[in-house]
């Protein structure tokens, strides 16, 4: 009898969590680093460069965004825009710089892409708390606050979509626009076709007169831009600070992003939808913990990886690009 009552209480709490507007808004905000990192990872991997260092790009961009915002003054503004925007821009620039170094190592020096990606992650994992100790005398940064919500009069009063889309921080709109832009670039432009060809048949692309190296550089740099938007957007839009101890505030979201775009079979819109699924599970477990039901976060975070395995084993729709992970030199036979 007690088991039945207990199960009923859990089901009730779960239903309330699913129906709660706070869960919906939390899902959108928690999806930001996952979705944007996944979109960036799609470009890199479709071009033939496997960038598993996305977790590191999220870390350095999140940390940089907070530090720059703190140094400029979180409550003030310069050149007509909030210091949070300068922090976001700085985070994107640093992430892109790391992506450039990664690209040079992999494309010019033909290093193993997996090892190079792991190096980016490990460097970021150690560098962020190290610099934080210099700046803040702690592995955790000071609090700088978050972006203000962008509220659209009248539209913000609409049921459901009002508080989700028209009374929300700007990074949510950045995420949504990036997903559409990523889809458009890959499927409707010459550049997108070059990216796909670079990952599937680089020799054919080279024969057609397109520089494979330049395409791969551009794709990897795009992965840095999108990951930078995700990391800095998450730190400045959701957290308002950055904890550099342990696994950092990013907490494996870069690796979840990789699982997400594999789950979505390299489709930016599908990756966005997948990020909602995984972020929603994260938001629900927070609500359950607040209600006294301790659901380990680590257990929730295994779901994307288990899902990808199921897709690969039983569905088989996810297929790596033919030349993914392979170095290419113009003129090779």
């Amino acid at each position: 009898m007690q088991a039945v009552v207990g199960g009923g209480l859990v089901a009730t709490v779960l239903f309330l969590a699913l129906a709660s507007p706070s869960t919906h808004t939390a899902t959108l905000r928690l999806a930001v680093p996952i979705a944007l990192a996944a979109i960036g990872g799609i470009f890199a991997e479709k071009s033939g460069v496997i960038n598993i260092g996305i977790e590191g790009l999220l870390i350095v961009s999140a940390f940089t965004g907070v530090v720059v915002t703190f140094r400029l003054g979180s409550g003030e503004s310069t050149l007509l825009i909030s210091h949070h925007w300068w922090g976001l821009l700085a985070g994107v620039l640093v992430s892109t710089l790391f992506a450039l170094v990664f690209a040079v190592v992999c494309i010019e020096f033909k290093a193993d892409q997996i090892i190079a990606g792991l190096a980016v992650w490990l460097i970021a994992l150690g560098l962020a708390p190290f610099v934080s100790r210099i700046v803040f005398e702690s592995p955790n940064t000071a609090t700088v606050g978050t972006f203000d919500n962008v509220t659209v009069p009248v539209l913000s009063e609409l049921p459901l979509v009002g508080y989700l889309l028209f009374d929300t921080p700007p990074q949510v709109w950045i995420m949504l626009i990036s997903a559409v832009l990523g889809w458009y670039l890959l499927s409707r432009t010459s550049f997108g076709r070059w990216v796909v060809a670079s990952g599937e048949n680089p020799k054919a692309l080279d024969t057609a007169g397109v520089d494979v190296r330049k395409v791969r550089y551009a794709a990897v740099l795009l992965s840095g831009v999108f990951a930078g938007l995700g990391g800095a957007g998450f730190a400045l839009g959701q957290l308002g600070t950055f904890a550099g101890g342990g696994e950092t505030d990013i907490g494996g979201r870069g690796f979840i992003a990789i699982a997400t775009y594999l789950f979505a079979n390299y489709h930016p819109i599908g990756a966005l939808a997948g990020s909602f699924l995984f972020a929603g599970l994260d938001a629900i477990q927070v609500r359950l913990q607040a209600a006294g039901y301790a659901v380990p976060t680590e257990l929730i975070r295994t779901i994307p990886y288990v899902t990808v395995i199921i897709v690969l084993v039983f569905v088989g729709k996810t297929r790596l690009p033919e030349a993914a992970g392979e170095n290419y030199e113009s003129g090779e036979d």
Side-chain angles (χ1 to χ4, degrees), residues 25 27 43 46 58 76 78 84 119 128 147 176 201 214 218 241 253 297 326:
T25 55
T27 296
F43 275 93
K46 289 292 281 184
L58 289 176
E76 304 171 5
T78 299
H84 285 81
F147 278 108
L176 298 176
N201 193 338
K214 289 182 179 179
T241 185
R253 287 178 172 85
T297 304
E326 297 179 5

Side-chain angles (χ1 to χ4, degrees), residues 87-305:
L88 180 69
L89 176 61
V92 171
L93 290 176
V94 170
S95 174
T96 306
L97 177 61
F98 268 68
L100 175 60
V101 173
F102 169 75
V104 169
V105 169
C106 293
I107 298 172
E108 296 296 333
F109 296 100
K110 299 180 174 55
D112 184 282
Q113 295 172 9
I114 303 300
I115 294 176
L118 286 173
V120 170
W121 168 49
L122 292 173
I123 290 171
L125 194 63
L127 185 62
F130 173 73
V131 176
S132 183
R133 288 184 184 278
I134 296 175
V135 178
F136 301 101
E137 298 182 351
S138 167
N140 305 326
T141 69
T143 299
V144 297
T146 59
F147 278 108
D148 294 329
N149 281 10
V150 177
T151 304
V152 181
V154 181
L155 293 179
S156 61
E157 302 300 323
L158 293 173
L160 188 61
V161 295
Y163 66 82
L164 283 178
L165 298 180
F166 302 111
D167 186 16
T168 191
Q171 78 270 12
V172 170
W173 274 104
I174 291 173
M175 171 183 66
L176 298 176
I177 292 171
S178 294
V180 175
L181 178 62
W183 166 80
Y184 181 81
L185 284 176
L186 273 178
S187 62
R188 294 292 186 271
T189 67
S190 297
F191 173 71
R193 290 190 287 273
W194 294 343
V195 168
V196 173
S198 175
E200 294 291 346
N201 193 338
K203 182 172 179 56
L205 183 64
D206 191 17
T207 302
V210 179
D211 192 324
V212 174
R213 291 170 61 257
K214 289 182 179 179
V215 171
R216 289 187 171 183
Y217 266 114
V220 174
L221 289 177
L222 270 179
S223 75
V225 171
F226 283 118
L229 288 170
F234 181 57
L236 297 174
Q238 176 71 13
L239 305 175
T241 185
F242 183 81
E247 61 178 359
T248 77
D249 273 335
I250 297 303
R253 287 178 172 85
F255 296 113
I256 292 177
I258 295 173
T260 300
Y261 70 68
L262 289 174
F263 172 73
N265 201 22
Y266 300 98
H267 195 293
I269 304 297
L272 175 66
S275 71
F276 291 158
L277 171 63
F278 303 137
L281 292 169
D282 198 7
I284 289 171
Q285 66 89 13
V286 171
R287 291 297 301 274
L288 291 177
Q289 288 182 345
Y293 298 96
V295 181
T297 304
E298 293 77 12
L299 179 61
I300 295 295
R301 289 177 179 165
T302 64
I303 293 175
Y305 306 107

